[in-house]
Amino acid sequence: KAGVTQTPRYLIKTRGQQVTLSCSPISGHRSVSWYQQTPGQGLQFLFEYFSETQRNKGNFPGRFSGRQFSNSRSEMNVSTLELGDSALYLCASSYAIGIYEQYFGPGTRLTVT
Amino acid sequence: AQTVTQSQPEMSVQEAETVTLSCTYDTSESDYYLFWYKQPPSRQMILVIRQEAYKQQNATENRFSVNFQKAAKSFSLKISDSQLGDAAMYFCAYRSASGNQFYFGTGTSLTVIP
């Protein structure tokens, strides 16, 4: 069974631009979560989607948004990029909300200049 | 909000030896799940082991085992017979049974010395 895939793997943007990252979960998984990972802050939860609905949300500004499609694929969007948005963005999928462990993708490395 | 604390930013172990990574958490809930994840230098995070809070028996997966102390809210990971491939960042994570978000610790960087 294929793992979680994320595209693109690397991205360079300039301040003020917007970016969209994509995540395809493991087949059969209906929950997708997004995390921002930085050396200083560690792994910070952005949001979680299940059945096309946002179920949980972390403490990030409204510039960070996401959505999930009917095939469980998910996208996250960051508008008006800031230098501090430079990070590794990880997507994780699980079978459903609740007790199920998450399986992570390789991440998208975003650099904002 | 729940918090997960990993007090050891870095650890090292000799190859073939045993190492224990510490994790404590804070919660008022009684039903929850705990996980250890491993993130090798290639960055793909993988699940190492999970523990259900309602189970008294400590989880074991081959060379990896946990010491789960519910009253103390402690969840340590023991790696036996350490191998070079065990070198990675290890994250402890918590999730309540009600399905709220995962909470991750700040990680412990493990170095395995040949």
Side-chain angles (χ1 to χ4, degrees):
Chain A
K1 192 182 272 191
V4 178
T5 58
Q6 292 186 246
T7 56
R9 292 292 310 278
Y10 301 91
L11 207 50
I12 300 174
K13 292 285 188 179
T14 57
R15 275 185 303 174
Q17 288 187 314
Q18 76 166 16
V19 67
T20 299
L21 311 182
S22 181
C23 171
S24 293
I26 291 171
S27 177
H29 284 193
R30 296 168 62 193
S31 172
V32 173
S33 295
W34 289 90
Y35 296 88
Q36 181 193 67
Q37 186 177 25
T38 58
Q41 299 294 322
L43 213 63
Q44 292 190 286
F45 173 75
L46 281 154
F47 27 66
E48 179 174 25
Y49 286 87
F50 178 74
S51 293
E52 302 177 65
T53 302
Q54 189 179 88
R55 299 303 178 112
N56 293 299
K57 189 178 189 302
N59 295 322
F60 277 81
R63 300 186 297 108
F64 291 82
S65 63
R67 60 178 176 168
Q68 187 180 35
F69 302 95
S70 58
N71 61 358
S72 295
R73 189 177 69 85
S74 178
E75 289 181 346
M76 68 162 280
N77 183 277
V78 188
S79 62
T80 319
L81 283 166
E82 300 177 358
L83 294 178
D85 296 334
S86 295
L88 181 70
Y89 289 87
L90 293 170
C91 166
S93 78
S94 60
Y95 178 72
I97 297 280
I99 69 172
Y100 304 96
E101 54 265 31
Q102 295 186 325
Y103 295 84
F104 284 80
T108 294
R109 170 72 64 187
L110 172 64
T111 302
V112 182
T113 62
Chain B
Q2 286 77 7
T3 57
V4 179
T5 302
Q6 293 180 251
S7 58
Q8 307 153 314
E10 297 178 347
M11 292 279 286
S12 62
V13 62
Q14 289 286 146
E15 196 175 2
E17 296 295 307
T18 296
V19 65
T20 299
L21 309 184
S22 301
C23 173
T24 58
Y25 56 95
D26 183 26
T27 184
S28 58
E29 298 176 328
S30 59
D31 197 9
Y32 51 86
Y33 301 85
L34 298 164
F35 306 85
W36 278 99
Y37 281 88
K38 168 185 176 181
Q39 189 178 38
S42 64
R43 295 290 186 180
Q44 187 104 27
M45 189 99 73
I46 56 175
L47 177 69
V48 175
I49 198 165
R50 66 176 259 175
Q51 173 80 44
E52 292 85 350
Y54 63 85
K55 288 186 178 179
Q56 292 187 338
Q57 186 173 9
N58 289 323
T60 299
E61 287 287 343
N62 301 312
R63 298 181 295 107
F64 298 87
S65 61
V66 300
N67 183 3
F68 173 50
Q69 302 289 329
K70 191 172 184 179
K73 296 179 183 176
S74 170
F75 181 59
S76 60
L77 175 69
K78 186 171 83 170
I79 306 174
S80 304
D81 186 26
S82 295
Q83 300 175 0
L84 295 177
D86 295 333
M89 184 73 83
Y90 286 82
F91 292 94
C92 176
Y94 165 103
R95 183 165 191 166
S96 75
S98 62
N100 290 331
Q101 67 185 71
F102 270 76
Y103 293 89
F104 282 82
T106 51
T108 296
S109 178
L110 178 67
T111 301
V112 180
I113 303 166

